Amino acid sequence: MGPILELKNVVKTFPGFAIKGISFALEPGYIMGFIGANGAGKTTTIKLIMNLLHLDGGEIRVFGLDSREQEQAVKQRIGFVYDENHFYEELTIPEMTRVVAPFYTNWDGESYQRLVDRFALPQNKKIKTFSRGMKMKYSLAVALAHKAELLIMDEPTSGLDPLVRSELLDILREVIQDERCSVLFSSHITSDLDRIADYVTLIHGGKIVFSLSKEDISEAYFVIKGERSLLTPDLRPYLIGLRENQFGLEALVKDRDSVQRLTGGRAIVERPTLEELMLFSIRETNI
């Protein structure tokens, strides 16, 4: 089986901003964290995948199918959770579900009801009275009720309290136990992805900075911290996104052995969090 999602040299141009030939792939059975600062191109990329924007160049394949030419077949197999509510707020969830369910040939009413019961969603209240967390849970119930093989989530945990966020992440871990299903999880809350992501793709300024497994990241990248006196001309080429202050320096590095040799073992070397990896990498691309 090939990638469940594959982007090849995707281009989209707007006045003042562009997606610049991005490429990455997601295999079945994994969670990919899609990270970047606000305005980096995450939501634009997701809209291109969902064919909500016209593609200016490149190719997007989902389940091996062209996402443009076979849009209806592709969308039958995708669950999409937006960052904002897109349901009719004057309806209750049974009323809303009667509108949504007929669009999906694989709708499973029993699975849907189990999720509604698990999430303790009220049946008689209008959606407009729901908290953000309740709306997100309803979106997830709808997304999973038609046996989606790819779950695409655009900033799903933004604005949620820690308890609801934790519950959502637990559900996603369960989802990928079915190895035919994958998740593309766009977020700027990198601590969530530290917990659940198998792969991480960083976008900045409309370009992909890297797309790697968490294992490859942990083997390839390190953060060094030390006194400013360590910053020699020989060391500088090894540093990514250098941060200096009166107390010392911090930087991301890839060649750990050379850095330790050049610093005489006097630098503290740690594995980076995803937040550190993103911030240092973005700082480097801005230099």
Side-chain angles (χ1 to χ4, degrees):
M1 182 183 292
I4 205 164
L5 171 66
E6 187 172 20
L7 283 71
K8 294 182 179 178
N9 300 315
V10 167
V11 175
K12 177 64 183 177
T13 303
F14 300 97
F17 179 76
I19 296 294
K20 305 167 185 175
I22 65 172
S23 301
F24 64 88
L26 173 59
E27 299 293 333
Y30 294 101
I31 296 176
M32 175 178 282
F34 191 36
I35 65 174
N38 290 334
K42 301 189 301 297
T43 296
T44 297
T45 301
I46 287 175
K47 286 182 177 179
L48 289 168
I49 294 170
M50 294 299 295
N51 202 18
L52 299 175
L53 290 174
H54 174 74
L55 186 66
D56 291 339
E59 181 181 19
I60 299 174
R61 302 192 73 82
V62 188
F63 316 115
L65 306 175
D66 186 287
S67 66
R68 268 65 188 155
E69 296 179 359
Q70 295 163 293
E71 178 180 5
Q72 292 305 315
V74 165
K75 287 187 174 179
Q76 284 291 327
R77 300 164 67 183
I78 290 179
F80 192 14
V81 179
Y82 295 84
D83 62 335
E84 297 179 356
N85 179 53
H86 286 263
F87 298 117
Y88 298 130
E89 297 218 326
E90 291 296 327
L91 300 182
T92 64
I93 60 173
E95 292 169 339
M96 188 68 239
T97 302
R98 285 194 288 272
V99 174
V100 173
F103 287 98
Y104 296 102
T105 57
N106 291 326
W107 183 266
D108 185 336
E110 291 184 2
S111 294
Y112 164 77
Q113 193 58 51
R114 281 196 298 271
L115 288 165
V116 168
D117 293 342
R118 175 177 176 176
F119 296 154
L121 295 174
Q123 299 289 301
N124 299 319
K125 292 184 177 181
K126 292 183 179 182
I127 293 172
K128 69 179 181 181
T129 68
F130 285 14
S131 67
R132 178 172 171 79
M134 290 167 63
K135 289 176 181 178
M136 188 59 62
K137 288 178 180 180
Y138 179 60
S139 294
L140 189 57
V142 170
L144 294 175
H146 63 278
K147 299 182 173 64
E149 296 166 58
L150 174 62
L151 192 59
I152 296 178
M153 312 185 78
D154 187 11
E155 298 283 358
T157 57
S158 178
L160 300 183
D161 66 62
L163 184 61
V164 175
R165 281 169 50 201
S166 181
E167 186 178 0
L168 177 61
L169 299 181
D170 287 342
I171 292 166
L172 294 182
R173 287 194 191 94
E174 294 174 17
V175 166
I176 62 164
Q177 296 306 309
D178 179 354
E179 295 184 357
R180 70 183 178 85
C181 187
S182 296
V183 179
L184 180 66
F185 189 121
S186 166
S187 181
H188 65 276
I189 305 175
T190 53
S191 59
D192 290 342
L193 300 176
D194 271 318
R195 291 177 55 186
I196 64 166
D198 302 296
Y199 289 83
V200 178
T201 297
L202 171 61
I203 187 169
H204 180 63
K207 296 181 179 179
I208 298 297
V209 179
F210 62 76
S211 186
L212 297 168
S213 70
K214 288 270 286 294
E215 289 80 5
D216 287 342
I217 288 170
S218 67
E219 292 175 3
Y221 290 94
F222 301 89
V223 169
I224 67 160
K225 301 176 183 179
E227 299 176 355
R228 293 184 67 186
S229 60
L230 298 176
L231 190 59
T232 64
D234 289 337
L235 181 63
R236 279 187 179 274
Y238 292 92
L239 306 183
I240 302 171
L242 173 65
R243 181 164 58 196
E244 296 180 77
N245 58 43
Q246 60 180 332
F247 303 107
L249 65 87
E250 292 180 295
L252 194 68
V253 300
K254 296 185 74 172
D255 190 339
R256 176 179 180 173
D257 292 340
S258 294
V259 168
Q260 287 186 312
R261 174 177 54 80
L262 288 167
T263 60
R266 291 183 293 138
I268 298 171
V269 181
E270 302 173 341
R271 296 196 183 279
T273 64
L274 286 181
E275 182 174 3
E276 289 174 324
L277 190 60
M278 180 176 74
L279 293 177
F280 281 118
S281 296
I282 290 173
R283 181 176 287 112
E284 174 74 4
T285 60
N286 286 336
I287 292 175

